[in-house]
């Protein structure tokens, strides 16, 4: 049984032009010709083509492929050693490429996967990655940081907008609580602190009470966090720290 050049091209995933070239240089000469002079390839030709493509995939130049296939004196063991070396080099190269892709994937999760337009729409002039490098330096080796990045990488624009709306609603209610004279130790303030903790758990990472108290200290000691909370209402950062401590004591007593 023989096959046309078009059939062989389809079998092997190469172009007809490639097969013509192999014929022209004597690398793969079809065993037969039709009455009209068209190339016809036998099963033996297909076997040779398979060997050619295998060597080409390993990076052998065409002249060396021809020498290997046509030289009866070629040492099969040396041939196999060369194949092994090339395969090993290819594997190492692919492993490095896979590592580079994995690194790029991790780098992508470090940010928020929104277009610049979407970021502005959601966050306004507050750049969500402004302190990303510092955050990685502080917490990059922790489970909570890794979990936060995994979750953030999945969020859509609508997710971020919903999160922002929750934060804004919480801030308005905490402002009203303070305006009404609620103390940090009041049940209402402790409930707001618990809602704050649950927001972190729901959107970013598991936040036990001990960790929540550590965050509360940072909200006061770090001027940027303090400015964020105090922009909702002056003194809110200190008030919230007291409420978080009282809430933790209520739940861990």
């Amino acid at each position: 049984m023989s096959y046309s050049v078009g059939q062989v091209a389809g079998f092997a995933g190469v172009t007809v032009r490639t097969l013509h070239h192999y014929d022209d240089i004597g690398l793969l000469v079809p065993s037969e010709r039709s009455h009209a002079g068209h190339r016809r390839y036998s099963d033996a030709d297909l076997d040779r083509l398979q060997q050619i493509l295998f060597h080409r995939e390993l990076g052998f130049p065409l002249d060396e492929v021809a020498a290997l296939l046509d030289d009866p004196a070629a040492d099969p063991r040396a041939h196999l050693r060369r194949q092994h070396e090339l395969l090993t080099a290819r594997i190492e190269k692919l492993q490095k490429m896979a590592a580079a892709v994995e690194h790029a994937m991790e780098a992508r999760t470090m940010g928020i996967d929104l277009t610049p337009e979407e970021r502005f729409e959601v966050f306004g002039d507050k750049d969500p990655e402004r302190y990303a490098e510092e955050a990685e330096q502080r917490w990059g080796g922790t489970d909570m940081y890794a979990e936060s990045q995994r979750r953030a990488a999945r969020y859509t624009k609508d997710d971020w907008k919903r999160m922002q709306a929750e934060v804004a609603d919480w801030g308005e209610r905490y402002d009203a609580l303070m305006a009404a004279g609620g103390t940090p130790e009041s049940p209402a303030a402790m409930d707001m602190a618990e809602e704050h903790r649950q927001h972190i758990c729901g959107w970013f990472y598991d936040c036990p009470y001990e960790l929540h108290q550590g965050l509360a200290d940072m909200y006061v000691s770090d001027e940027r966090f303090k400015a964020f909370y105090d922009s909702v209402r002056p003194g809110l950062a200190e008030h919230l720290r007291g409420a978080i401590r009282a809430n933790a004591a209520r739940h861990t007593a």
Side-chain angles (χ1 to χ4, degrees):
M1 186 172 183
S2 63
Y3 309 90
S4 70
V5 66
Q7 288 175 310
V8 174
F11 295 155
V14 298
T15 65
V16 170
R17 177 177 294 182
T18 294
L19 294 175
H20 287 176
H21 177 62
Y22 289 172
D23 185 6
D24 292 340
I25 64 174
L27 180 60
L28 178 63
V29 179
S31 299
E32 303 174 21
R33 292 274 179 172
S34 70
H35 293 300
H38 298 149
R39 295 171 175 86
R40 302 294 299 182
Y41 293 82
S42 67
D43 288 335
D45 295 333
L46 296 185
D47 289 341
R48 183 178 174 90
L49 176 59
Q50 185 180 47
Q51 288 297 311
I52 292 169
L53 296 179
F54 175 75
H55 285 89
R56 291 294 289 155
E57 181 65 24
L58 289 175
F60 282 77
L62 291 178
D63 57 349
E64 190 169 346
V65 174
L68 286 169
L69 295 182
D70 296 333
D71 183 4
D75 183 356
R77 288 174 298 181
H79 183 189
L80 288 172
R81 282 196 296 271
R82 177 71 184 279
Q83 288 181 340
H84 184 268
E85 291 171 0
L86 289 168
L87 282 170
T88 301
R90 174 66 60 86
I91 290 170
E92 291 177 356
K93 181 178 180 180
L94 290 174
Q95 287 176 334
K96 289 179 181 179
M97 291 174 63
V101 171
E102 184 177 353
H103 180 72
M105 290 167 61
E106 291 175 353
R108 177 65 271 169
T109 65
M110 297 297 293
I112 297 170
D113 195 13
L114 302 178
T115 66
E117 294 79 8
E118 289 174 330
R119 289 186 186 210
F120 185 81
E121 180 182 345
V122 174
F123 297 101
D125 60 354
K126 298 180 178 65
D127 183 356
E129 290 185 347
R130 185 177 176 186
Y131 304 115
E133 183 175 349
E134 180 179 343
E136 184 180 10
Q137 291 173 349
R138 283 191 180 190
W139 303 296
T142 65
D143 291 339
M144 72 174 190
Y145 181 82
E147 177 63 19
S148 176
Q149 298 311 302
R150 282 193 294 269
R151 295 194 197 181
R154 297 194 301 264
Y155 292 153
T156 65
K157 179 181 71 174
D158 289 340
D159 290 329
W160 288 107
K161 291 176 73 173
R162 187 167 68 255
M163 183 195 306
Q164 291 289 91
E166 289 180 10
V167 171
D169 175 70
W170 179 90
E172 290 176 2
R173 288 184 286 114
Y174 208 108
D175 180 21
L177 181 149
M178 291 180 64
T183 65
E185 295 76 19
S186 67
M190 288 190 285
D191 288 345
M192 292 292 292
E194 178 63 18
E195 185 178 336
H196 181 277
R197 189 183 74 85
Q198 291 293 340
H199 178 87
I200 295 172
C201 291
W203 284 101
F204 298 107
Y205 50 82
D206 183 45
C207 183
Y209 293 103
E210 182 179 0
L211 175 58
H212 200 208
Q213 292 181 83
L215 293 176
D217 290 337
M218 185 177 65
Y219 297 157
V220 175
S221 63
D222 190 306
E223 289 300 321
R224 291 164 299 185
F225 282 103
K226 190 173 188 298
F228 169 77
Y229 284 106
D230 286 357
S231 68
V232 178
R233 183 181 182 88
L236 193 151
E238 287 274 5
H239 195 286
L240 176 60
R241 179 171 67 174
I244 288 175
R245 288 175 174 175
N247 182 57
R250 175 176 65 167
H251 283 88
T252 59

